[in-house]
């Protein structure tokens, strides 16, 4: 749950509600619940999700007494978890289509191997050596299901997959993804090696004419009760779900056809086998009951396979009528009868697209395609195409340019083809009477690439003359409204192309055309084109209008590309701008070099956020160092004091050095004059020094104190700062005051995030609250490394506490987005919400406990659930009116808080489940008090009965050994925390 969701939940209601989702361990505690859960209308989690959870728990490695990682133990717990996963798959009737969609290859491989194991498939024997007709029914079926999955997986893995762009994962998550990818590749390699055996096994199954049986929930229960009853051996051949031979053969034919079709890419002769299997699958499918759950053949894909096989093999089927357009086209293609093929395509397209008057558009598109083909083949353009160019629409010209571009996309196009295409485009431009459409062609990339400069110049001059020609013969004295608007239309279209284009040469060509039509500043065409304020005056001071517009637009477009992480186009635009300004302006040349450096830094950081953790190249690191030193020296010496330099470039260079742990440079090699003159470099040096000296607390306190003093100044309210309308000065509203702190928030260096991000501000708020209220412990905020900071805060009134709190929230939220399982950050987040959002605070306190105890299956370390944390949890529950939870939590303290527990049990208005929590109380004193007050209220109430039952458990007898009492307490602790987690998660 995100912080925003937790906020909304806290504001909407103070009483937490129990979500309906079941947890896997509930089925482990009571296996009878599984079948009831699966048979529900909408089980949550679904059977596929439940399989993943159960197998994940069953495959977790164990740790021995020497703290060594061991393979998963073969104990009763893990065997039960695997059996329940098989039951969930049996509930789905072993539908491979559903299982393949919801499970990864490693998980499904684990599930089916477990099926082979419980079905008593002889271990160590190849499946191809087994005689399926002599095996028990469910054993044979398990072998067939596994081998069907094997060849289906090989086929599916050959399909191209859409690559999803990963988000900002942490390192351990990327490691898990990489491990899963490697495991998947290993499994696929084994399946491909055994593909021939799998095909042989399935082809052998086609010779078996008797019915098959597959495991159900009932047969799996029989396995759990008595392994000797497995596979129908004690129930003849009727154990399990009956699968008719036709149903199985249909599915096997379909799967074998798929693997043969996939192999046909390397061996075309195999397509014959694929066609035969698909034919048998089609015939069997027409005879079978469509409601059968086991035979799950994708009929649409089967039809596609069948058509493809017929085309590839050249076979004809008398049952298929060739009166359909598709059938006739396929026949003409096989016979290479292109003379009839083209007209027939025309007819079919007309039939398919004759909706809402689309017939005319289809005819125009066909005419365009034929014209492009004739032009490339050196033929004469048809009369219909010339008639089309008399009054073409904008869509027609757009389609024409698209067809031309696609026809030239093929590699190694000869120079002859390119020249023919250039002549075709030139002829189109000459024949277009509408100048706006002619400009549309002339601004296309093919026009710019294929035509020679002299040809382009002549055509441009002709179009310019045509656009300037106004027919005044109709009226001797035309009014303003009678003058044609073709010129303005052309300008508007060129301006639109100028906005959309990202090609520097294209942008330059458009600007040349616009400058010839009108003299005005075209850098104002788009109000969203923005360049930094530091550069505006330098760029607008350029005397040549074309150069000024070009520099401004190239920089604005490049900055926009960086903002959307399109670094390829940004590099292209900035490089072109750099080449342009190098000829006349040393200042702008240095500006562009700085912006190129910032683009490279952001590009590398964006790659790191997406999982590419390769270190930056030495050249980039060297350029960053050079910029930081140039900021002082080269600025004044080479270019004078008026060189525009953006502060953000220096800040991000410092953050870049911190992110990639260039601490040696920041602490030792950076020139001292640079440190003294640049506050953000000074701040970066202090952060690097603190991180570097962190392993020794005593040694690091000196640099930590310096860092403390610097940032206290940043967070302090100065009398020189301008105040807002409400009289306050906010850190986030003053860029100079922030001094790059928020830039450091975005660092990927976990240690810097801990030192600078969380611990500093937590320490500052901690000291602040302690200074305000020495006795009220609930106002303290916990953090790591808090001991290295000073224990007091001088001049407390000058600190902008509001800004510190806002910054703290932003930092902790960002830290948790990088590492959501950091228990210390989770506790800090809980402390922040502890002020007034108690349900959200409980959520994060419990989440901190879950990440370090494997969802409370282990004890929570005492350094996580300290007495202070437990007291805050107690207060949260009290303010939420969950008083029974308060009483239970009082037992968790090192010294049981009987007074608070007794007071909570006396409360009449409790919003929790009350007696459902009595079973979690192990302290006999609290239980005795509880039974006493409940007896006074109503001796025959259900609550009193629950309390009597809780206190009457033999394991709580005070005469028991200490080990028994401790075990009873630990058992109740875990169950209680798991119950709370279900309430607050």
């Amino acid at each position: 749950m995100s912080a925003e969701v937790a906020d909304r939940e806290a504001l909407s209601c103070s009483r937490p509600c129990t979500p309906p989702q079941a947890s896997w361990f509930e089925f482990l505690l009571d296996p009878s619940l599984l079948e009831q859960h699966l048979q529900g209308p909408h089980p949550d989690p679904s059977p596929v999700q439940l399989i993943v959870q159960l197998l994940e728990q069953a495959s977790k490695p164990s740790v021995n007494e020497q703290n060594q990682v061991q393979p998963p133990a073969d104990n009763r717990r893990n065997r039960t978890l695997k059996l329940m996963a098989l039951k969930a798959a049996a509930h789905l009737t072993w539908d491979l289509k559903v299982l393949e969609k919801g499970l990864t290859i490693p998980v499904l491989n684990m599930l089916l191997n477990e099926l082979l194991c419980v079905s008593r498939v002889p271990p160590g024997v190849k499946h191809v050596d087994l005689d399926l007709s002599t095996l028990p029914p469910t054993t044979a079926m398990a072998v067939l299901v596994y081998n069907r999955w094997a060849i289906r997986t090989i086929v599916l893995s050959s399909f191209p997959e859409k690559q999803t762009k990963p988000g900002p994962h942490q390192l351990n998550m990327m490691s898990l993804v990489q491990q899963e990818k490697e495991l998947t590749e290993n499994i696929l390699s084994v399946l491909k090696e055994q593909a021939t055996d799998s095909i042989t096994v399935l082809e052998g199954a086609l010779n078996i004419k008797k019915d098959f049986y597959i495991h159900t929930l009932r047969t799996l229960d029989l396995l759990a009760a008595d392994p000797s009853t497995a596979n129908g051996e004690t129930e003849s051949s009727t154990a399990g779900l009956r699968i008719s031979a036709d149903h199985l053969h249909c599915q096997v034919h379909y799967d074998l056809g798929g693997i043969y079709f996939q192999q046909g890419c390397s061996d075309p002769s195999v397509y014959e086998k694929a066609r035969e299997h698909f034919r048998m699958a089609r015939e069997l499918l027409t005879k079978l009951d469509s409601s059968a759950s086991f035979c799950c053949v994708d009929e649409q894909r089967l039809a596609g396979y069948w058509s493809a096989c017929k085309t590839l093999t050249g076979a004809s089927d008398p049952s298929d009528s060739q009166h359909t357009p598709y059938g006739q086209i396929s026949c003409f293609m096989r016979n290479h009868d292109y003379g009839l093929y083209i007209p027939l395509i025309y007819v079919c397209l007309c039939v398919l697209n004759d909706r809402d008057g689309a017939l005319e558009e289809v005819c125009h598109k066909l005419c365009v395609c034929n014209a492009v083909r004739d032009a490339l083949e050196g033929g004469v353009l048809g009369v219909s195409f010339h008639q089309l160019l008399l009054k073409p629409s904008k869509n027609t010209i757009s389609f024409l340019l698209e067809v031309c571009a696609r026809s030239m996309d093929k590699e190694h196009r000869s120079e002859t083809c390119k020249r023919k295409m250039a002549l075709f485009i030139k002829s189109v431009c000459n024949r277009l009477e509408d100048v706006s459409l002619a400009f549309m062609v002339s601004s296309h990339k093919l026009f710019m690439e294929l035509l020679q400069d002299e040809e382009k110049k002549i055509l441009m001059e002709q179009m310019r003359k045509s656009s300037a020609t106004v027919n005044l013969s109709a009226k001797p004295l035309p009014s303003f409204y009678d003058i044609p608007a073709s010129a303005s239309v052309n300008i508007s279209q060129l301006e639109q192309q100028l906005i959309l284009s990202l090609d520097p040469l294209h942008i330059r060509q458009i600007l040349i055309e616009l400058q010839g039509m009108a003299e005005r500043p075209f850098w104002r065409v788009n109000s969203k084109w923005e360049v930094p304020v530091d550069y505006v005056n330098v760029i607008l001071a350029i005397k040549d209008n074309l150069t000024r517009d070009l520099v401004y637009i190239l920089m604005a477009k490049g900055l926009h590309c960086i903002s959307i992480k399109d670094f390829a186009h940004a590099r292209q635009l900035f490089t072109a701008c750099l080449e342009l300004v190098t000829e006349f302006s040393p200042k702008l040349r240095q500006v562009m070099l700085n912006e190129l450096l910032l683009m490279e830094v952001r590009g590398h950081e964006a790659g790191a956020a997406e999982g590419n953790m390769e270190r930056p190249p030495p050249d980039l690191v060297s350029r960053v160092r050079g910029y930081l030193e140039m900021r002082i020296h080269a600025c004044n010496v080479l270019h004078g004091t008026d060189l525009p330099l953006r502060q953000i470039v220096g800040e991000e260079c410092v953050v870049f050095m911190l992110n990639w742990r260039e601490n040696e440079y920041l602490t030792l090699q950076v020139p001292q004059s640079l440190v003294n003159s640049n506050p953000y470099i000074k701040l970066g040096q202090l952060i690097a020094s603190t991180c570097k000296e962190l392993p020794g607390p005593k040694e690091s306190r000196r640099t930590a104190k310096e860092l403390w003093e610097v940032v206290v100044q940043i967070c302090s309210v100065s009398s020189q700062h301008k105040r807002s309308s409400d009289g306050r000065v906010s850190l986030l509203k003053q860029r100079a005051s922030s001094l790059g702190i928020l830039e450091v928030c975005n660092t990927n260096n976990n240690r810097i995030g801990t030192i600078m991000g969380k611990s500093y501000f937590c320490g500052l708020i901690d000291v602040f609250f302690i200074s305000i209220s020495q006795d009220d412990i609930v106002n303290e905020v916990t953090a790591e490394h808090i001991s290295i900071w000073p224990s007091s805060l001088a001049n407390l009134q000058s600190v902008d506490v509001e800004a510190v709190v806002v910054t703290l929230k932003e930092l902790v939220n960002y830290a948790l987005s990088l590492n959501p399982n950091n228990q210390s950050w989770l506790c800090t987040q809980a402390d922040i919400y502890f002020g007034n959002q108690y349900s959200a605070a409980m959520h994060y306190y419990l989440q901190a406990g879950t990440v370090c105890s494997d969802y409370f299956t282990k004890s929570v370390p005492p350094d996580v659930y300290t007495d202070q944390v437990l007291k805050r949890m107690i207060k949260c529950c009290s303010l939420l009116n969950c008083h029974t939870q308060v009483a239970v939590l009082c037992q968790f303290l090192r010294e049981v808080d009987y007074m608070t527990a007794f007071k909570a049990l006396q409360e009449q208005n409790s919003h929790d489940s009350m007696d459902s929590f009595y079973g979690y109380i192990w302290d006999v004193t609290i239980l005795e008090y509880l039974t006493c007050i409940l007896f006074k209220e109503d001796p025959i109430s259900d609550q009193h009965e629950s309390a009597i039952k809780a206190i009457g458990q033999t394991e709580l007898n005070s005469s028991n050994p200490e080990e028994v009492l401790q075990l009873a307490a630990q058992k109740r602790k875990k169950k209680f925390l798991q119950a709370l987690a279900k309430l607050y998660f």
Side-chain angles (χ1 to χ4, degrees), residues 627-637 673-674 677-678:
Y627 175 82
L628 292 176
E629 297 178 10
M630 179 278 298
R631 178 80 187 197
I632 289 298
H633 302 291
C635 174
N636 297 326
V637 175
S673 59
L674 180 61
S677 304
N678 289 267

Side-chain angles (χ1 to χ4, degrees), residues 711-780:
V711 186
V712 165
Q713 294 177 6
I714 296 173
C715 300
S716 298
V717 179
S718 173
S719 58
Q720 298 177 353
H721 290 162
K722 294 182 179 180
R723 295 184 174 270
S724 58
S725 59
D726 57 359
R728 295 179 297 179
V729 179
S730 175
L731 172 67
L732 301 182
K733 295 179 182 179
Q734 295 292 334
R735 177 67 185 176
S737 299
S738 69
L739 200 59
I741 288 294
L742 295 182
E743 293 296 329
V744 180
C745 296
N746 294 326
T747 180
N748 293 323
N749 187 331
N750 285 334
R751 178 171 291 185
I752 294 175
T754 300
I755 295 300
M756 192 58 218
K758 184 166 68 69
S759 293
Y760 173 78
F761 287 102
C762 291
L764 189 60
I765 288 186
D766 212 3
V767 173
F768 171 76
F769 280 124
I770 292 175
S771 301
I772 292 294
S773 177
Q774 295 289 341
D775 299 327
D776 191 358
I777 64 167
V778 299
N779 282 331
E780 296 182 14

Side-chain angles (χ1 to χ4, degrees), residues 421-628:
M421 179 59 69
L423 292 174
F424 175 70
I425 295 176
K426 182 178 177 181
S427 66
V428 169
C429 276
N430 287 327
R431 291 193 60 84
L432 288 173
E433 297 180 359
D434 190 335
V435 184
S436 63
L437 296 179
F439 274 111
M440 183 177 174
V441 176
S442 65
S443 60
H444 196 267
K445 64 177 182 179
L446 280 180
F447 183 90
M448 309 301 295
E449 294 174 358
L450 298 180
L451 269 70
Q452 299 178 0
D453 292 340
E454 188 63 26
E455 292 176 320
K456 288 188 285 187
K457 183 177 180 181
I458 294 173
L459 281 174
M460 290 295 180
E461 186 64 27
Q462 291 176 351
M463 287 187 288
R464 187 177 292 109
K465 290 180 180 179
S466 299
S467 64
T469 302
V470 180
N471 184 11
L472 300 179
S473 59
K475 293 183 179 182
L477 295 175
S479 66
F480 174 78
Y481 297 100
D482 293 328
I483 299 177
S486 59
S488 62
V489 171
N490 295 335
I491 291 178
S492 299
Q493 291 177 343
L494 288 174
E495 288 178 346
Q496 183 180 10
Q497 294 176 25
L498 183 65
I499 293 173
L500 298 177
S501 179
L502 293 176
D503 183 3
L505 293 177
H506 190 201
I507 294 172
R508 180 177 181 274
Q509 184 65 37
I510 295 174
L511 282 174
I512 292 173
E513 297 300 322
L514 288 171
Q515 293 285 354
M517 295 181 181
E519 293 185 2
R520 66 183 188 206
F522 289 100
W523 61 271
R524 296 179 178 177
V525 166
N526 189 355
S527 61
K528 295 184 179 180
W529 286 341
E530 296 181 356
V531 300
V533 179
D534 310 82
Y535 303 154
V536 171
N537 293 333
V538 180
I539 295 175
L540 296 185
I542 299 174
K543 295 181 180 179
D544 182 67
N545 293 337
L546 175 62
T547 305
R548 177 201 62 202
D549 291 349
L550 187 56
V551 171
Y552 190 98
I553 294 172
L554 289 177
M555 178 175 286
K557 284 178 174 285
L559 292 172
H560 172 70
C561 289
I562 293 176
S563 67
I564 61 175
K565 297 184 179 181
D566 184 2
F567 297 105
H569 280 113
R571 185 178 291 104
Q572 184 180 6
L573 293 162
F574 279 174
T575 302
C577 191
L578 175 63
E579 293 177 358
L580 177 64
V581 300
T582 299
E583 301 176 357
F584 65 89
S585 176
K587 289 183 182 180
L588 287 176
R589 178 181 181 276
Q590 188 59 53
V591 164
M592 292 312 305
L593 288 174
N594 296 343
E595 292 300 319
L596 276 168
L597 174 62
L598 180 60
M599 180 203 67
E600 297 290 348
V601 167
R602 288 181 173 175
H604 200 276
E605 294 296 337
E610 295 172 359
N612 181 15
M613 299 310 297
E614 294 183 4
R615 288 192 59 79
D619 174 66
L620 180 57
V621 177
S622 176
R623 288 165 59 197
V624 170
R625 292 182 180 183
Y627 175 82
L628 292 176

Side-chain angles (χ1 to χ4, degrees), residues 31 44 69 187 241 276 350 361 455 551 568 636 770 883 954:
D44 187 13
V69 179
I187 294 173
L241 174 66
E276 184 61 23
C350 292
E361 181 182 356
E455 292 176 320
V551 171
N636 297 326
I770 292 175
H883 301 294
T954 55

Side-chain angles (χ1 to χ4, degrees), residues 72-88:
D74 185 17
N75 51 28
R76 181 181 176 185
R77 171 188 178 274
N78 289 344
R79 288 194 296 270
T80 304
L81 289 171
K82 293 177 182 178
L83 187 65
M84 288 192 293
L86 292 174
K87 288 183 179 181

Side-chain angles (χ1 to χ4, degrees), residues 840-878:
M842 282 295 293
H843 167 83
Y844 285 104
Y845 282 133
L846 289 167
Q847 191 172 342
T850 60
V851 299
C852 61
S853 65
D854 195 10
Y855 198 75
F856 300 118
T857 56
K858 304 173 185 176
S859 298
V860 180
D863 59 338
V864 177
Y865 277 0
T866 62
D867 273 5
Q868 177 176 327
V869 171
L870 292 171
K871 288 180 179 180
R872 295 187 177 192
M873 294 172 68
I874 290 171
K875 185 164 185 178
C876 287
C877 292
S878 177

Side-chain angles (χ1 to χ4, degrees), residues 265-278:
C265 298
S266 56
D267 184 7
S269 62
V270 184
Y271 284 126
E272 292 286 352
K273 294 183 179 180
R275 184 177 64 85
E276 184 61 23
H277 281 293
F278 287 135

